[in-house]
Amino acid sequence: FGLGVPVILRNSEETESSTRVLKKRMRQVKNPFGLEIPRPAAASLTKGVTLTPDCLEDCVLTCYWGCSVQKLHEALQKHVYCFRIKTPQALEDALYNEYLYRQQYLQSIKKNDKEEKYCQLPEDAQVVDFGPVPRSRYPLVALLTLADEEDREIYDIIAMVAVIHIPDESYRLSCRILYQYLLLAQGQYHDLKQLFMSANSPAPSSSNTFPGKSSTDRTLLDKGGLAGDEPELQEENSKDCVVCQNGPVNWVLLPCRHTCLCDGCVRYFQQCPMCRQFVQESFPLCSKKEQDEDEST
């Protein structure tokens, strides 16, 4: 620095903590689509997989085996810049039919009807695996679209694309939903992410967790470039704020996605109290008005 030049040394954490955490402005939308894998341990490329749609309106389920990774992401970009993907035919046109087999259920799925749908490659397809990772094809892509045109005018979200891993001979990672993309009528799409709640709730569904295989599966995911950035933390389940243990949790911290602070405590933290990651933005699950309405009812 040179002699006689005054230097002020400041702790990097002190600099970060002095910055103001931005409150992200959110817009609440209703997602009409839901998809689960009820028995992931039984799924395989040869035996197929059982899917359970759970939708708020009548929907159409279409499955694409061996869908091209590149063409799928190009199709998502076309939804943004070219045309809206609101029907199975629109997605197939955007994919240029770059998939091995298409399976569509002729009868639409009735709203709130959690009927299981069985999806399997035909025997004459003669597909035993999709090659080593990184792969050029996703094992299975499930598309949920609204069956009624009138519903497409009501909802902001008009379709959901779910990328599903199916174990095969060369890659035995357990069956799971890798990505869920929500397609909006305005031409955007969003990757649906899980929030890490500190609330009283049952254990995560079997479609997301696989006891006894977490470390092995995590290694396989890392090698395949499929591992997300979800921290593997074992939080205690509590419906109250993790700091004051009094107010209900209401604030989601970004980018870690921990939901662990109440309205009173969130203003005092620039780092997440669960993982110590610096908070860049935050948003509430419920507005003050909605909380007051819940308390009054």
Side-chain angles (χ1 to χ4, degrees), residues 233-246:
L233 299 176
Q234 300 294 329
E235 295 97 355
E236 295 182 359
N237 288 332
S238 171
K239 66 180 179 179
D240 296 327
C241 172
V242 298
V243 177
C244 67
Q245 298 291 311
N246 186 27

Side-chain angles (χ1 to χ4, degrees), residues 31-35 54-56 59 144-146 157-160 182:
N31 178 20
F33 306 108
L35 187 68
D54 183 13
C55 304
L56 300 179
C59 295
L144 279 170
T145 53
L146 295 167
I157 301 173
I158 57 175
M160 185 180 79
L182 301 178

